[in-house]
Amino acid sequence: MGHTPLPGIGVRYDLATREGRRLSVIAHLDGSRTLSTYRTDDPDATALSLRMTAEEAGAVIDAVMPAHHSPNLLATAELGLVAERVELPAGSYWSGRRLGDTRMRTDTGVSVVAVLRRTEAVPSPGPDFRLAGGDTLIVIGTREGVGAAAGILGRE
């Protein structure tokens, strides 16, 4: 499956089925999804396009791959939570500062579950963890909280 970033929109995922059908899913920044299939006689013409809320997309995911097949899988859509990657800009105000200084958990309720830095991953960073420009923070929280956390981290 290939993916294409869509700046300001989200990410588009494209795949072809074993039968040669083309399918794409756009994961919008607001958590909604657009599922599209394409005509076999004209691969640029849409046969079906369906916009779904995050909850509806979660229901489709559960129908395609029920959660009981993987008992350790956190069904975040049902709990009202999202997990996202948030990039820390290279010239970030927070570069060199402690994670606790951002007050993200206090102000947004969002938890930073890991920080990806170049070739290493730091799981469960504590409040004394020093951030660096270019870090990718893996955060989990409500849609609103994750949006607010991205705003805090975007400070330059």
Side-chain angles (χ1 to χ4, degrees):
M1 175 175 359
H3 69 281
T4 305
L6 302 173
I9 298 170
V11 178
R12 186 183 76 220
Y13 299 90
D14 296 295
L15 65 95
T17 67
R18 185 178 60 197
E19 292 142 356
R21 297 295 308 257
R22 283 191 39 237
L23 173 74
S24 72
V25 176
I26 297 176
H28 297 272
L29 295 174
D30 67 2
S32 66
R33 302 290 190 262
T34 300
L35 171 70
S36 300
T37 60
Y38 300 88
R39 292 177 29 186
T40 54
D41 63 333
D42 182 355
D44 293 325
T46 305
L48 169 74
S49 185
L50 177 64
R51 181 81 180 247
M52 297 174 281
T53 66
E55 293 77 21
E56 292 164 340
V60 170
I61 290 167
D62 194 47
V64 173
M65 183 174 283
H68 67 268
H69 287 290
S70 179
N72 295 326
L73 181 64
L74 175 63
T76 56
E78 291 176 16
L79 300 174
L81 300 176
V82 296
E84 284 194 11
R85 294 171 171 252
V86 179
E87 305 284 334
L88 194 67
S92 174
Y93 168 84
W94 301 110
S95 187
R97 298 186 197 282
R98 296 177 317 142
L99 178 59
D101 294 341
T102 66
R103 296 184 43 86
M104 255 194 312
R105 177 174 286 199
T106 302
D107 293 347
T108 69
V110 165
S111 295
V112 177
V113 297
V115 175
L116 309 178
R117 180 176 290 163
R118 294 189 195 103
T119 59
E120 68 173 320
V122 179
S124 303
D128 291 333
F129 179 83
R130 296 250 176 218
L131 296 168
D135 282 352
T136 299
L137 285 73
I138 308 299
V139 300
I140 189 165
T142 64
R143 165 65 44 211
E144 297 77 21
V146 168
I152 289 170
L153 291 172
R155 181 176 173 189
E156 295 197 19

